Every structure is written in structure tokens, then in C-alpha cells.
Amino acid sequence: MNRLNEIISYFPEVKEVSEIVPLTAGLINQTYKVETKDPGACDYILQCINHQVFQNVDVLQRNIECVTRHIRKKLEEAHETDINRKVLRFVSARDGKSYHFDGEHYWRMCEFIPDSQTLDAVTPESSYLVGLKFGEFEAMLADIPEKLGETIPDFHNMEFRIKQLHDAVAENAAGRMEKVQALVSEIEKDADEMCQAERLYREGKLPKRICHCDTKVSNMMFDKDGKVLCVIDLDTTMPSFVFSDFGDFLRSAANTSREDEPDLEKVRFNMEIFKAFAKGYIESAKSFLTPLEIEMLPFAVKLFPYMQAVRFLTDYINGDTYYQIQYADHNYVRTLAQYKLYQEAKKSEPEMKAYIASLL
Ligand code: GN1
Ligand code: MG
């Protein structure tokens, strides 16, 4: 752990370290929990930024600085207490920047939120609160004065994701096409329908707003009583359709199983979670959502497992160059699980529509 200790020494606020524990939940950045000796001092999160994925670290860090500053200001104005548990606080490096570059890698540190936990699964009660929180998050960022950059260009652009799939198929870099040809054809049948948001955007009918764009349950911190504290992993907070936050949360929360569940029988869509989340989200977001955005929320629920299936499949065909994997066919297994979830969400669409109509 010597190298990590040296990197930590570039962040003057961090005093004596007692332990550095790797955290393995994320698929993109390398993350560690840094525990400190002084029982009165806070612990930290150390992250090595995946520079291949986030090619412009300055844009990335600037977005995060603007977002956390703006949210902090809003919380202060609302006379909130316990603000350091409700918004991330990043620690400056020696040169005053929000990250340290060691000549090869980019590192950043933030305070570990005390007495917090992440949950693998949510209940309808916590889902409702998370829904409220995301509506609030988007509402708070609606008047951010800075123009945020796209930390990953075309991140949730379905047309772009389909194009990447086509490119991967044409290249067949890992020689896996024979195995997945039928699946690719099957998935492609719905591509047109799934690309409708981009078309509506071009026609000026759908807006983009500042969204989190990675709202899976594991990116949410809860206190010990299961109350939502704050959203973490702000790397992809950027302009997008609100579908990103709505759809991506339900992709993990309303899945009755894991993102990479091999037994597809276990992958179902949980309507109770959907209802609770939709109720909370619409309650806090209806002040700014347009009628079309609200009407298309069930579309968002289908879109995200579909997009994730396309992204996992593309990576599988490319030979696993993007997502960290634990075993050879991991991305293939993930693809099947996400595609199954998409089909389940599709079956629930009429019920979702009826429920949303009942809320209005
Ligand atoms: C990645 O950062 P992490 O592991 O929470 C990915 C998301 C995917 C998710 C699938 C920058 O999220 O878009 O939905 O994996 N983030 C990036 O679990 O590609
Ligand atoms: Mg992420």
C-alpha cells in the first residue's frame, strides 16, 4: 500500500492513516476507503479516476466542483443541518487543485460520510424517499450558473450506443460474433423505438436538464435508519434527458435480482418499487417537468435496461475493454440479465402508464 500512502500525502488535510480498504462496487473507477487513526477525524474515499473513460479530467472535476458548491449553497440557504452528510466534500491537493496527477494517474479524495451505508435493495418506503431526493437534486441544479460539460460525450445517447454496437459487430474484435449474432438481431428490432428521445430532442420537443446519469441504488447513501442522505458518484452529472435518472434508478431498484443475475427466472420488474419511486419523483419534480416528460417516464424505464444491455453487449463483442469483469462471460451474462429486465419492464408498461395517470 506504499504507493497509495504516497498519493494520500499529497492531500494535506488527511493526517495519519490507519488502513486503506479497496471498495469493489463500482465498475469504472478504482476506489478505496481511507481510515484515519485519530478517532475524532473523518475517514476518506480515495479514487483513481478512470482516465480512459473520463478523458477530460478538468471538465470532470470542474463539473463536480460546480455541482457540490451549488448544492451546498442551496442546503445552507434552506438552513439544513448536517450538511457534510448531505453533499460530498472534496479535499484539496497540495497545489490547491481538486485532484492529484502522479504523472500517470489522476487521484481525488473526498470525505467519507460518517454513519452512512449503501443498500443493495430498497423497499417501497425508501424508494419513495429516493424519488423525492432525485426530483430535488434535479430541481436544485436547475439554476446552476455555470454551463456544465459532457464528461462523457453522448453518454446516454441511444442512437450513439446503437452505432457503437454496429461498429463492434462490424469489427468483431474478440471473435465472439458467432455466439451473439441472434441476440444482436433480436435487440436491434427495438432500436428505432428506443431512439425516439433523440428524435424528439432534435424536433425541439424534449429538453435536456442537469441530471446525475448514474442513479443506481448503490450510488445513494443512506443513514443507519435507512433515510436518504445524499447522492454520490457525481462523475456523470451533466445535461441529459430526465429519463436518465428516472430510468437508471429503476433499472437497479425495480430489478428483483442483480444486474448480472445468471438465472433469468429471477429477473422481474417490481411494480411496487416503481410506484413508490414514481410517486416521490413526480411529487418533487412536477414543478419543472413538461407533460411530455411525465408521459414518457414509462419509456425511460424500458430505455435504461435496454441501453445497458446494448452497452454490455458492445463491450462483450469488443473483448471487455470498458467494464471491469469478474469472469470471462461476465458482460454476456450482464447483457442477458438486462435484456430480460427490459422485456419485463415492457410487459408492465400499461400498468406504469395507468399509475402515472392516477397521480396527476
Ligand atoms: C458504470 O460508475 P459505476 O460503476 O457506478 C457506468 C454506468 C452503468 C453502470 C452499470 C461512467 O457505473 O453508466 O450504468 O456501470 N458508468 C460509466 O453498472 O460508464
Ligand atoms: Mg459511475
Short mmCIF file of all heavy atoms in Angstrom, two decimals, residues 89-152:
data_model
loop_
_atom_site.label_atom_id
_atom_site.label_comp_id
_atom_site.label_asym_id
_atom_site.label_seq_id
_atom_site.Cartn_x
_atom_site.Cartn_y
_atom_site.Cartn_z
N ARG A 89 -17.96 16.34 0.10
CA ARG A 89 -16.95 17.37 0.29
C ARG A 89 -15.60 16.84 -0.19
O ARG A 89 -15.08 15.86 0.34
CB ARG A 89 -16.84 17.75 1.77
CG ARG A 89 -15.87 18.91 2.04
CD ARG A 89 -15.82 19.29 3.52
NE ARG A 89 -15.19 18.27 4.34
CZ ARG A 89 -13.85 18.15 4.49
NH1 ARG A 89 -13.03 18.98 3.89
NH2 ARG A 89 -13.35 17.19 5.25
N PHE A 90 -15.08 17.46 -1.25
CA PHE A 90 -13.79 17.01 -1.78
C PHE A 90 -12.65 17.74 -1.09
O PHE A 90 -12.80 18.88 -0.63
CB PHE A 90 -13.74 17.22 -3.30
CG PHE A 90 -14.56 16.18 -4.00
CD1 PHE A 90 -15.94 16.33 -4.18
CD2 PHE A 90 -13.97 15.00 -4.43
CE1 PHE A 90 -16.70 15.35 -4.77
CE2 PHE A 90 -14.73 14.01 -5.03
CZ PHE A 90 -16.10 14.18 -5.20
N VAL A 91 -11.52 17.08 -0.99
CA VAL A 91 -10.37 17.57 -0.26
C VAL A 91 -9.35 18.09 -1.28
O VAL A 91 -9.11 17.44 -2.29
CB VAL A 91 -9.75 16.40 0.54
CG1 VAL A 91 -8.53 16.85 1.30
CG2 VAL A 91 -10.78 15.80 1.46
N SER A 92 -8.77 19.26 -1.02
CA SER A 92 -7.81 19.82 -1.98
C SER A 92 -6.47 19.11 -1.92
O SER A 92 -6.01 18.70 -0.86
CB SER A 92 -7.57 21.30 -1.68
OG SER A 92 -8.77 22.00 -1.80
N ALA A 93 -5.83 19.03 -3.08
CA ALA A 93 -4.46 18.52 -3.13
C ALA A 93 -3.50 19.68 -2.81
O ALA A 93 -3.92 20.82 -2.70
CB ALA A 93 -4.18 17.95 -4.51
N ARG A 94 -2.22 19.36 -2.69
CA ARG A 94 -1.22 20.36 -2.28
C ARG A 94 -1.24 21.62 -3.12
O ARG A 94 -1.05 22.72 -2.62
CB ARG A 94 0.17 19.75 -2.35
CG ARG A 94 0.74 19.44 -0.99
CD ARG A 94 2.18 19.00 -1.14
NE ARG A 94 2.37 17.71 -0.49
CZ ARG A 94 3.43 16.94 -0.67
NH1 ARG A 94 4.38 17.29 -1.51
NH2 ARG A 94 3.53 15.81 -0.02
N ASP A 95 -1.47 21.46 -4.41
CA ASP A 95 -1.43 22.64 -5.29
C ASP A 95 -2.76 23.37 -5.36
O ASP A 95 -2.96 24.24 -6.19
CB ASP A 95 -0.99 22.21 -6.70
CG ASP A 95 -1.88 21.10 -7.26
OD1 ASP A 95 -2.90 20.78 -6.60
OD2 ASP A 95 -1.57 20.57 -8.33
N GLY A 96 -3.70 22.97 -4.48
CA GLY A 96 -4.99 23.64 -4.44
C GLY A 96 -5.99 23.08 -5.43
O GLY A 96 -7.17 23.43 -5.40
N LYS A 97 -5.54 22.18 -6.29
CA LYS A 97 -6.47 21.56 -7.25
C LYS A 97 -7.32 20.50 -6.55
O LYS A 97 -6.99 20.06 -5.45
CB LYS A 97 -5.66 20.86 -8.35
CG LYS A 97 -5.19 21.79 -9.45
CD LYS A 97 -4.97 20.98 -10.71
CE LYS A 97 -4.67 21.90 -11.87
NZ LYS A 97 -3.64 21.43 -12.74
N SER A 98 -8.39 20.08 -7.21
CA SER A 98 -9.25 19.08 -6.58
C SER A 98 -8.79 17.66 -6.91
O SER A 98 -9.48 16.69 -6.60
CB SER A 98 -10.69 19.28 -7.02
OG SER A 98 -10.80 19.02 -8.40
N TYR A 99 -7.62 17.52 -7.55
CA TYR A 99 -7.10 16.17 -7.79
C TYR A 99 -5.58 16.23 -7.82
O TYR A 99 -4.98 17.30 -7.94
CB TYR A 99 -7.63 15.59 -9.11
CG TYR A 99 -7.26 16.42 -10.33
CD1 TYR A 99 -6.02 16.27 -10.95
CD2 TYR A 99 -8.15 17.36 -10.84
CE1 TYR A 99 -5.68 17.03 -12.06
CE2 TYR A 99 -7.82 18.13 -11.95
CZ TYR A 99 -6.58 17.95 -12.55
OH TYR A 99 -6.23 18.71 -13.63
N HIS A 100 -4.97 15.06 -7.70
CA HIS A 100 -3.51 14.96 -7.79
C HIS A 100 -3.16 14.09 -9.00
O HIS A 100 -3.69 12.99 -9.16
CB HIS A 100 -2.95 14.33 -6.51
CG HIS A 100 -1.52 13.94 -6.64
ND1 HIS A 100 -0.51 14.86 -6.78
CD2 HIS A 100 -0.92 12.71 -6.70
CE1 HIS A 100 0.65 14.23 -6.91
NE2 HIS A 100 0.42 12.93 -6.87
N PHE A 101 -2.28 14.59 -9.85
CA PHE A 101 -1.82 13.83 -11.01
C PHE A 101 -0.43 13.31 -10.70
O PHE A 101 0.48 14.09 -10.40
CB PHE A 101 -1.81 14.74 -12.25
CG PHE A 101 -1.35 14.03 -13.50
CD1 PHE A 101 -1.99 12.88 -13.94
CD2 PHE A 101 -0.28 14.52 -14.23
CE1 PHE A 101 -1.58 12.22 -15.09
CE2 PHE A 101 0.15 13.86 -15.39
CZ PHE A 101 -0.51 12.71 -15.82
N ASP A 102 -0.25 11.99 -10.73
CA ASP A 102 1.06 11.44 -10.34
C ASP A 102 1.96 11.18 -11.55
O ASP A 102 2.94 10.43 -11.45
CB ASP A 102 0.87 10.16 -9.50
CG ASP A 102 0.26 9.01 -10.32
OD1 ASP A 102 0.08 9.16 -11.55
OD2 ASP A 102 -0.02 7.96 -9.73
N GLY A 103 1.61 11.78 -12.67
CA GLY A 103 2.41 11.56 -13.87
C GLY A 103 1.78 10.52 -14.78
O GLY A 103 2.04 10.47 -15.98
N GLU A 104 0.92 9.70 -14.18
CA GLU A 104 0.26 8.66 -14.96
C GLU A 104 -1.24 8.62 -14.67
O GLU A 104 -2.06 8.50 -15.57
CB GLU A 104 0.89 7.31 -14.60
CG GLU A 104 0.59 6.23 -15.60
CD GLU A 104 1.21 4.90 -15.17
OE1 GLU A 104 2.03 4.88 -14.21
OE2 GLU A 104 0.86 3.88 -15.76
N HIS A 105 -1.58 8.71 -13.39
CA HIS A 105 -2.98 8.60 -12.98
C HIS A 105 -3.46 9.85 -12.25
O HIS A 105 -2.67 10.57 -11.66
CB HIS A 105 -3.17 7.39 -12.06
CG HIS A 105 -2.92 6.10 -12.76
ND1 HIS A 105 -1.81 5.33 -12.51
CD2 HIS A 105 -3.62 5.45 -13.72
CE1 HIS A 105 -1.84 4.26 -13.29
NE2 HIS A 105 -2.92 4.30 -14.04
N TYR A 106 -4.79 10.04 -12.30
CA TYR A 106 -5.43 11.15 -11.60
C TYR A 106 -6.12 10.61 -10.35
O TYR A 106 -6.85 9.62 -10.43
CB TYR A 106 -6.46 11.82 -12.51
CG TYR A 106 -5.86 12.47 -13.73
CD1 TYR A 106 -5.58 11.73 -14.87
CD2 TYR A 106 -5.58 13.84 -13.73
CE1 TYR A 106 -5.03 12.33 -16.00
CE2 TYR A 106 -5.03 14.45 -14.85
CZ TYR A 106 -4.76 13.69 -15.98
OH TYR A 106 -4.21 14.28 -17.08
N TRP A 107 -5.88 11.28 -9.23
CA TRP A 107 -6.44 10.83 -7.94
C TRP A 107 -7.23 11.95 -7.29
O TRP A 107 -6.86 13.12 -7.40
CB TRP A 107 -5.30 10.44 -6.99
CG TRP A 107 -4.44 9.34 -7.50
CD1 TRP A 107 -3.36 9.47 -8.33
CD2 TRP A 107 -4.58 7.94 -7.24
NE1 TRP A 107 -2.83 8.22 -8.59
CE2 TRP A 107 -3.55 7.27 -7.93
CE3 TRP A 107 -5.49 7.19 -6.47
CZ2 TRP A 107 -3.41 5.89 -7.88
CZ3 TRP A 107 -5.34 5.82 -6.41
CH2 TRP A 107 -4.30 5.17 -7.13
N ARG A 108 -8.29 11.58 -6.60
CA ARG A 108 -9.03 12.60 -5.83
C ARG A 108 -9.50 11.97 -4.53
O ARG A 108 -9.59 10.74 -4.42
CB ARG A 108 -10.21 13.13 -6.66
CG ARG A 108 -11.25 12.10 -6.88
CD ARG A 108 -12.49 12.60 -7.60
NE ARG A 108 -13.30 11.43 -7.90
CZ ARG A 108 -14.02 11.27 -8.99
NH1 ARG A 108 -14.09 12.22 -9.91
NH2 ARG A 108 -14.72 10.16 -9.15
N MET A 109 -9.81 12.85 -3.58
CA MET A 109 -10.27 12.35 -2.27
C MET A 109 -11.47 13.16 -1.80
O MET A 109 -11.54 14.36 -2.02
CB MET A 109 -9.16 12.49 -1.23
CG MET A 109 -8.02 11.54 -1.47
SD MET A 109 -6.88 11.48 -0.06
CE MET A 109 -7.74 10.35 1.05
N CYS A 110 -12.40 12.47 -1.17
CA CYS A 110 -13.49 13.20 -0.53
C CYS A 110 -13.74 12.59 0.84
O CYS A 110 -13.28 11.48 1.13
CB CYS A 110 -14.76 13.19 -1.38
SG CYS A 110 -15.54 11.60 -1.55
N GLU A 111 -14.46 13.33 1.64
CA GLU A 111 -14.76 12.85 2.99
C GLU A 111 -15.72 11.65 2.90
O GLU A 111 -16.67 11.68 2.12
CB GLU A 111 -15.42 14.00 3.77
CG GLU A 111 -15.67 13.66 5.21
CD GLU A 111 -16.23 14.86 6.00
OE1 GLU A 111 -15.90 16.02 5.68
OE2 GLU A 111 -17.00 14.60 6.93
N PHE A 112 -15.43 10.63 3.67
CA PHE A 112 -16.36 9.50 3.78
C PHE A 112 -17.51 9.93 4.69
O PHE A 112 -17.28 10.44 5.78
CB PHE A 112 -15.63 8.29 4.39
CG PHE A 112 -16.52 7.10 4.58
CD1 PHE A 112 -16.78 6.23 3.54
CD2 PHE A 112 -17.13 6.87 5.82
CE1 PHE A 112 -17.63 5.14 3.72
CE2 PHE A 112 -17.98 5.78 6.00
CZ PHE A 112 -18.22 4.91 4.94
N ILE A 113 -18.71 9.76 4.22
CA ILE A 113 -19.85 10.25 5.01
C ILE A 113 -20.06 9.37 6.24
O ILE A 113 -20.29 8.16 6.11
CB ILE A 113 -21.12 10.29 4.14
CG1 ILE A 113 -20.89 11.23 2.96
CG2 ILE A 113 -22.33 10.72 4.96
CD1 ILE A 113 -21.99 11.24 1.95
N PRO A 114 -19.89 9.95 7.45
CA PRO A 114 -19.96 9.12 8.65
C PRO A 114 -21.34 8.52 8.88
O PRO A 114 -22.36 9.09 8.47
CB PRO A 114 -19.59 10.09 9.78
CG PRO A 114 -19.73 11.45 9.24
CD PRO A 114 -19.63 11.37 7.75
N ASP A 115 -21.35 7.36 9.50
CA ASP A 115 -22.60 6.66 9.84
C ASP A 115 -23.52 6.52 8.63
O ASP A 115 -24.73 6.77 8.72
CB ASP A 115 -23.36 7.37 10.96
CG ASP A 115 -22.55 7.41 12.24
OD1 ASP A 115 -21.90 6.39 12.54
OD2 ASP A 115 -22.53 8.47 12.91
N SER A 116 -22.92 6.18 7.50
CA SER A 116 -23.76 6.01 6.32
C SER A 116 -23.58 4.59 5.79
O SER A 116 -22.66 3.88 6.16
CB SER A 116 -23.33 7.01 5.25
OG SER A 116 -22.04 6.69 4.79
N GLN A 117 -24.47 4.21 4.93
CA GLN A 117 -24.38 2.89 4.30
C GLN A 117 -24.97 2.96 2.90
O GLN A 117 -25.77 3.84 2.61
CB GLN A 117 -25.14 1.86 5.14
CG GLN A 117 -26.59 2.28 5.40
CD GLN A 117 -27.41 1.20 6.09
OE1 GLN A 117 -27.07 0.03 6.06
NE2 GLN A 117 -28.53 1.59 6.69
N THR A 118 -24.54 2.02 2.07
CA THR A 118 -25.26 1.86 0.80
C THR A 118 -26.14 0.63 0.96
O THR A 118 -25.86 -0.25 1.78
CB THR A 118 -24.31 1.66 -0.39
OG1 THR A 118 -23.41 0.61 -0.08
CG2 THR A 118 -23.54 2.91 -0.72
N LEU A 119 -27.19 0.56 0.19
CA LEU A 119 -28.10 -0.59 0.27
C LEU A 119 -28.06 -1.32 -1.07
O LEU A 119 -27.85 -0.70 -2.11
CB LEU A 119 -29.53 -0.12 0.54
CG LEU A 119 -29.77 0.72 1.79
CD1 LEU A 119 -31.23 1.17 1.84
CD2 LEU A 119 -29.42 -0.06 3.05
N ASP A 120 -28.24 -2.62 -1.04
CA ASP A 120 -28.32 -3.37 -2.30
C ASP A 120 -29.75 -3.34 -2.82
O ASP A 120 -29.99 -3.40 -4.01
CB ASP A 120 -27.92 -4.83 -2.08
CG ASP A 120 -26.43 -4.93 -1.84
OD1 ASP A 120 -25.70 -4.08 -2.37
OD2 ASP A 120 -26.02 -5.84 -1.09
N ALA A 121 -30.67 -3.27 -1.89
CA ALA A 121 -32.06 -3.30 -2.30
C ALA A 121 -32.82 -2.22 -1.55
O ALA A 121 -32.46 -1.88 -0.42
CB ALA A 121 -32.65 -4.66 -1.95
N VAL A 122 -33.83 -1.68 -2.18
CA VAL A 122 -34.65 -0.69 -1.50
C VAL A 122 -36.04 -1.26 -1.26
O VAL A 122 -36.47 -2.19 -1.93
CB VAL A 122 -34.77 0.62 -2.31
CG1 VAL A 122 -33.46 1.36 -2.35
CG2 VAL A 122 -35.26 0.33 -3.71
N THR A 123 -36.72 -0.68 -0.30
CA THR A 123 -38.11 -1.05 -0.02
C THR A 123 -38.99 0.01 -0.69
O THR A 123 -38.49 1.08 -1.08
CB THR A 123 -38.36 -1.00 1.49
OG1 THR A 123 -38.08 0.35 1.92
CG2 THR A 123 -37.48 -1.97 2.24
N PRO A 124 -40.29 -0.21 -0.79
CA PRO A 124 -41.14 0.86 -1.31
C PRO A 124 -40.99 2.15 -0.50
O PRO A 124 -40.97 3.23 -1.08
CB PRO A 124 -42.55 0.27 -1.19
CG PRO A 124 -42.35 -1.20 -1.31
CD PRO A 124 -41.03 -1.48 -0.63
N GLU A 125 -40.81 2.03 0.81
CA GLU A 125 -40.67 3.24 1.64
C GLU A 125 -39.41 4.03 1.25
O GLU A 125 -39.47 5.24 1.03
CB GLU A 125 -40.60 2.90 3.14
CG GLU A 125 -41.88 2.35 3.74
CD GLU A 125 -42.19 0.92 3.28
OE1 GLU A 125 -41.24 0.12 3.16
OE2 GLU A 125 -43.37 0.63 3.02
N SER A 126 -38.27 3.33 1.15
CA SER A 126 -37.05 4.07 0.84
C SER A 126 -37.06 4.53 -0.61
O SER A 126 -36.50 5.57 -0.97
CB SER A 126 -35.79 3.26 1.16
OG SER A 126 -35.79 2.02 0.53
N SER A 127 -37.71 3.78 -1.47
CA SER A 127 -37.81 4.15 -2.88
C SER A 127 -38.56 5.47 -3.06
O SER A 127 -38.20 6.31 -3.89
CB SER A 127 -38.61 3.08 -3.60
OG SER A 127 -37.97 2.71 -4.73
N TYR A 128 -39.59 5.63 -2.28
CA TYR A 128 -40.36 6.88 -2.32
C TYR A 128 -39.45 8.06 -1.93
O TYR A 128 -39.43 9.09 -2.61
CB TYR A 128 -41.56 6.77 -1.37
CG TYR A 128 -42.26 8.08 -1.10
CD1 TYR A 128 -43.06 8.67 -2.08
CD2 TYR A 128 -42.10 8.74 0.12
CE1 TYR A 128 -43.67 9.90 -1.84
CE2 TYR A 128 -42.71 9.95 0.37
CZ TYR A 128 -43.50 10.53 -0.62
OH TYR A 128 -44.10 11.74 -0.38
N LEU A 129 -38.67 7.86 -0.87
CA LEU A 129 -37.78 8.93 -0.41
C LEU A 129 -36.68 9.23 -1.43
O LEU A 129 -36.31 10.37 -1.65
CB LEU A 129 -37.15 8.55 0.94
CG LEU A 129 -38.16 8.38 2.09
CD1 LEU A 129 -37.46 7.87 3.35
CD2 LEU A 129 -38.89 9.70 2.37
N VAL A 130 -36.19 8.17 -2.07
CA VAL A 130 -35.16 8.37 -3.09
C VAL A 130 -35.74 9.13 -4.29
O VAL A 130 -35.10 10.01 -4.86
CB VAL A 130 -34.56 7.01 -3.54
CG1 VAL A 130 -33.62 7.20 -4.70
CG2 VAL A 130 -33.81 6.34 -2.40
N GLY A 131 -36.98 8.81 -4.61
CA GLY A 131 -37.65 9.52 -5.70
C GLY A 131 -37.75 11.01 -5.41
O GLY A 131 -37.40 11.86 -6.24
N LEU A 132 -38.18 11.30 -4.18
CA LEU A 132 -38.25 12.72 -3.77
C LEU A 132 -36.87 13.36 -3.89
O LEU A 132 -36.73 14.48 -4.40
CB LEU A 132 -38.65 12.81 -2.29
CG LEU A 132 -40.11 12.72 -1.90
CD1 LEU A 132 -40.23 12.78 -0.38
CD2 LEU A 132 -40.92 13.87 -2.52
N LYS A 133 -35.83 12.63 -3.47
CA LYS A 133 -34.47 13.15 -3.45
C LYS A 133 -33.96 13.46 -4.86
O LYS A 133 -33.33 14.48 -5.08
CB LYS A 133 -33.57 12.10 -2.79
CG LYS A 133 -32.27 12.64 -2.31
CD LYS A 133 -32.48 13.33 -0.99
CE LYS A 133 -31.26 14.05 -0.52
NZ LYS A 133 -31.58 14.84 0.68
N PHE A 134 -34.27 12.59 -5.80
CA PHE A 134 -33.79 12.85 -7.16
C PHE A 134 -34.51 14.00 -7.83
O PHE A 134 -33.89 14.78 -8.55
CB PHE A 134 -33.88 11.60 -8.03
CG PHE A 134 -32.63 10.80 -7.93
CD1 PHE A 134 -32.65 9.52 -7.46
CD2 PHE A 134 -31.42 11.38 -8.23
CE1 PHE A 134 -31.49 8.82 -7.30
CE2 PHE A 134 -30.23 10.69 -8.08
CZ PHE A 134 -30.28 9.40 -7.62
N GLY A 135 -35.82 14.11 -7.54
CA GLY A 135 -36.55 15.26 -8.06
C GLY A 135 -35.93 16.54 -7.50
O GLY A 135 -35.71 17.52 -8.20
N GLU A 136 -35.59 16.48 -6.21
CA GLU A 136 -34.97 17.62 -5.52
C GLU A 136 -33.59 17.93 -6.10
O GLU A 136 -33.24 19.08 -6.32
CB GLU A 136 -34.74 17.19 -4.07
CG GLU A 136 -35.38 18.01 -3.00
CD GLU A 136 -35.08 17.32 -1.67
OE1 GLU A 136 -33.92 17.41 -1.17
OE2 GLU A 136 -36.00 16.65 -1.15
N PHE A 137 -32.81 16.88 -6.33
CA PHE A 137 -31.46 17.03 -6.89
C PHE A 137 -31.53 17.77 -8.23
O PHE A 137 -30.82 18.74 -8.46
CB PHE A 137 -30.85 15.62 -7.07
CG PHE A 137 -29.44 15.59 -7.61
CD1 PHE A 137 -28.35 15.77 -6.77
CD2 PHE A 137 -29.20 15.35 -8.96
CE1 PHE A 137 -27.04 15.72 -7.27
CE2 PHE A 137 -27.90 15.30 -9.46
CZ PHE A 137 -26.82 15.49 -8.61
N GLU A 138 -32.43 17.34 -9.09
CA GLU A 138 -32.58 18.00 -10.39
C GLU A 138 -33.10 19.42 -10.22
O GLU A 138 -32.65 20.35 -10.90
CB GLU A 138 -33.51 17.19 -11.30
CG GLU A 138 -32.88 15.88 -11.75
CD GLU A 138 -33.87 14.99 -12.52
OE1 GLU A 138 -35.06 15.35 -12.63
OE2 GLU A 138 -33.44 13.91 -12.98
N ALA A 139 -34.04 19.60 -9.28
CA ALA A 139 -34.59 20.94 -9.05
C ALA A 139 -33.50 21.89 -8.54
O ALA A 139 -33.40 23.03 -8.98
CB ALA A 139 -35.75 20.87 -8.06
N MET A 140 -32.64 21.39 -7.63
CA MET A 140 -31.57 22.23 -7.08
C MET A 140 -30.59 22.64 -8.17
O MET A 140 -30.03 23.74 -8.13
CB MET A 140 -30.81 21.49 -5.97
CG MET A 140 -31.54 21.48 -4.66
SD MET A 140 -30.43 21.09 -3.27
CE MET A 140 -30.32 19.33 -3.38
N LEU A 141 -30.37 21.75 -9.13
CA LEU A 141 -29.37 22.05 -10.17
C LEU A 141 -29.97 22.82 -11.36
O LEU A 141 -29.24 23.21 -12.26
CB LEU A 141 -28.71 20.75 -10.64
CG LEU A 141 -27.84 20.08 -9.57
CD1 LEU A 141 -27.29 18.76 -10.06
CD2 LEU A 141 -26.69 21.00 -9.14
N ALA A 142 -31.27 23.04 -11.30
CA ALA A 142 -31.93 23.70 -12.44
C ALA A 142 -31.37 25.10 -12.67
O ALA A 142 -31.33 25.58 -13.79
CB ALA A 142 -33.44 23.74 -12.22
N ASP A 143 -30.93 25.78 -11.60
CA ASP A 143 -30.44 27.15 -11.77
C ASP A 143 -28.94 27.27 -11.50
O ASP A 143 -28.46 28.31 -11.06
CB ASP A 143 -31.23 28.11 -10.88
CG ASP A 143 -31.06 27.80 -9.40
OD1 ASP A 143 -30.49 26.73 -9.08
OD2 ASP A 143 -31.48 28.61 -8.56
N ILE A 144 -28.21 26.22 -11.74
CA ILE A 144 -26.75 26.29 -11.57
C ILE A 144 -26.20 27.31 -12.58
O ILE A 144 -26.58 27.28 -13.75
CB ILE A 144 -26.11 24.89 -11.73
CG1 ILE A 144 -24.64 24.90 -11.31
CG2 ILE A 144 -26.24 24.34 -13.15
CD1 ILE A 144 -24.05 23.50 -11.12
N PRO A 145 -25.39 28.26 -12.11
CA PRO A 145 -24.99 29.35 -13.01
C PRO A 145 -24.00 28.91 -14.10
O PRO A 145 -24.02 29.46 -15.20
CB PRO A 145 -24.34 30.39 -12.09
CG PRO A 145 -24.02 29.67 -10.82
CD PRO A 145 -24.94 28.51 -10.72
N GLU A 146 -23.16 27.93 -13.80
CA GLU A 146 -22.15 27.52 -14.79
C GLU A 146 -22.77 26.59 -15.84
O GLU A 146 -23.74 25.90 -15.57
CB GLU A 146 -20.99 26.77 -14.11
CG GLU A 146 -20.22 27.57 -13.09
CD GLU A 146 -20.82 27.46 -11.69
OE1 GLU A 146 -21.90 26.84 -11.53
OE2 GLU A 146 -20.22 28.02 -10.75
N LYS A 147 -22.16 26.58 -17.01
CA LYS A 147 -22.59 25.62 -18.03
C LYS A 147 -21.73 24.36 -17.85
O LYS A 147 -20.51 24.43 -17.93
CB LYS A 147 -22.34 26.23 -19.41
CG LYS A 147 -22.93 25.40 -20.56
CD LYS A 147 -22.77 26.17 -21.87
CE LYS A 147 -23.21 25.46 -23.11
NZ LYS A 147 -23.28 24.04 -23.17
N LEU A 148 -22.38 23.24 -17.55
CA LEU A 148 -21.61 22.02 -17.31
C LEU A 148 -21.25 21.35 -18.63
O LEU A 148 -22.01 21.37 -19.59
CB LEU A 148 -22.39 21.04 -16.44
CG LEU A 148 -22.79 21.52 -15.04
CD1 LEU A 148 -23.35 20.36 -14.23
CD2 LEU A 148 -21.61 22.15 -14.29
N GLY A 149 -20.07 20.72 -18.66
CA GLY A 149 -19.63 20.00 -19.85
C GLY A 149 -20.16 18.56 -19.85
O GLY A 149 -20.65 18.08 -18.83
N GLU A 150 -20.04 17.90 -20.97
CA GLU A 150 -20.38 16.47 -21.04
C GLU A 150 -19.14 15.69 -20.68
O GLU A 150 -18.18 15.63 -21.44
CB GLU A 150 -20.85 16.08 -22.44
CG GLU A 150 -22.24 16.57 -22.76
CD GLU A 150 -22.89 15.81 -23.93
OE1 GLU A 150 -22.53 14.65 -24.20
OE2 GLU A 150 -23.74 16.41 -24.59
N THR A 151 -19.13 15.06 -19.49
CA THR A 151 -17.91 14.37 -19.05
C THR A 151 -17.65 13.13 -19.91
O THR A 151 -16.50 12.73 -20.07
CB THR A 151 -18.01 13.98 -17.56
OG1 THR A 151 -19.17 13.18 -17.38
CG2 THR A 151 -18.08 15.23 -16.69
N ILE A 152 -18.71 12.55 -20.43
CA ILE A 152 -18.57 11.51 -21.45
C ILE A 152 -19.52 11.93 -22.58
O ILE A 152 -20.74 11.86 -22.40
CB ILE A 152 -18.95 10.12 -20.94
CG1 ILE A 152 -18.08 9.75 -19.72
CG2 ILE A 152 -18.80 9.07 -22.04
CD1 ILE A 152 -18.44 8.41 -19.10
#
